[in-house]
Amino acid sequence: MITHIMKSKLHNAAAAAFYSFMVDPPREIYARWLPEEHHKFHVVKRSETTPVGDLIFFDQHIGSKHRLTFYAITRVADKPNHVLFQMRRFGINLPGYLDLQFRDTADGLCLTETIRIGFNGSGKVLDPIIKLFFNKSFFNEMNAHHKREWANLAEILRQGKSDGN
């Protein structure tokens, strides 16, 4: 199992706003969130227990060399502190997870983004193949992307709040 953890401290940001955006991203806000890297992110199908079970689609570049295009199922939606997505491709749930945790503090939002890819148990034999794609180059680009994307989202959400939205 590959686990990659990234953390950011975002001043003037709040867990509730980040949570709300991640479970139901308004298109007009998303359109302003790193448009050169983020191409699509929207709810494709809502579940009866929304947002848990929602089917999400996302397409984004991670730096200049890597592109992620997946569907994802919302597995955890613990408002306002935790969202967990499981990747899905060709109608099959994959052993890939994006785990976002938000915690308000006196001086801003603490965000922890964890990517988990791979298998437990006997499926671990496939992890070396996964590492060919999700390698050091990918995670170096992911670290830089993490800093850019979350600081940019904090600014966009702050601007929207000051505009009266």
Side-chain angles (χ1 to χ4, degrees):
M1 168 90 48
I2 301 164
T3 301
H4 186 74
I5 301 169
M6 299 158 285
K7 295 183 178 197
S8 287
K9 178 70 150 204
L10 301 160
H11 302 285
N12 298 316
F18 271 62
Y19 171 90
S20 292
F21 179 82
M22 293 309 297
V23 298
D24 192 13
R27 290 184 191 267
E28 65 279 2
I29 293 174
Y30 180 77
R32 296 172 34 213
W33 189 28
L34 295 181
E36 63 282 354
E37 295 177 53
H38 290 174
H39 308 298
K40 292 183 181 180
F41 176 57
H42 57 87
V43 177
V44 174
K45 183 179 178 187
R46 296 197 187 278
S47 72
E48 293 178 16
T49 58
T50 300
V52 173
D54 282 0
L55 180 64
I56 307 284
F57 178 77
F58 72 92
D59 178 9
Q60 65 182 29
H61 274 92
I62 307 298
S64 61
K65 299 178 187 174
H66 307 281
R67 187 169 187 165
L68 296 177
T69 304
F70 283 100
Y71 287 90
I73 302 288
T74 305
R75 293 295 183 200
V76 174
D78 183 15
K79 187 176 183 176
N81 299 109
H82 187 200
V83 179
L84 174 68
F85 299 109
Q86 181 180 11
M87 301 306 113
R88 184 175 174 90
R89 196 102 192 234
F90 308 117
I92 299 169
N93 293 336
L94 302 175
Y97 298 87
L98 173 62
D99 192 342
L100 301 171
Q101 296 193 23
F102 314 111
R103 185 173 51 87
D104 287 323
T105 67
D107 57 341
L109 173 69
C110 287
L111 180 142
T112 302
E113 178 178 11
T114 304
I115 298 171
R116 288 190 314 275
I117 306 166
F119 296 92
N120 291 318
S122 61
K124 282 183 162 183
V125 298
L126 298 175
D127 283 357
I129 296 168
I130 294 170
K131 287 180 181 179
L132 292 174
F133 300 96
F134 297 99
N135 53 30
K136 185 175 180 177
S137 170
F138 172 81
F139 288 114
N140 285 339
E141 292 281 349
M142 190 66 215
N143 290 339
H145 180 78
H146 168 90
K147 295 292 184 191
R148 279 191 309 275
E149 77 176 334
W150 299 115
N152 182 259
L153 182 59
E155 180 63 22
I156 290 167
L157 293 174
R158 187 191 62 74
Q159 288 173 357
K161 189 175 181 181
S162 66
D163 293 343
N165 294 335

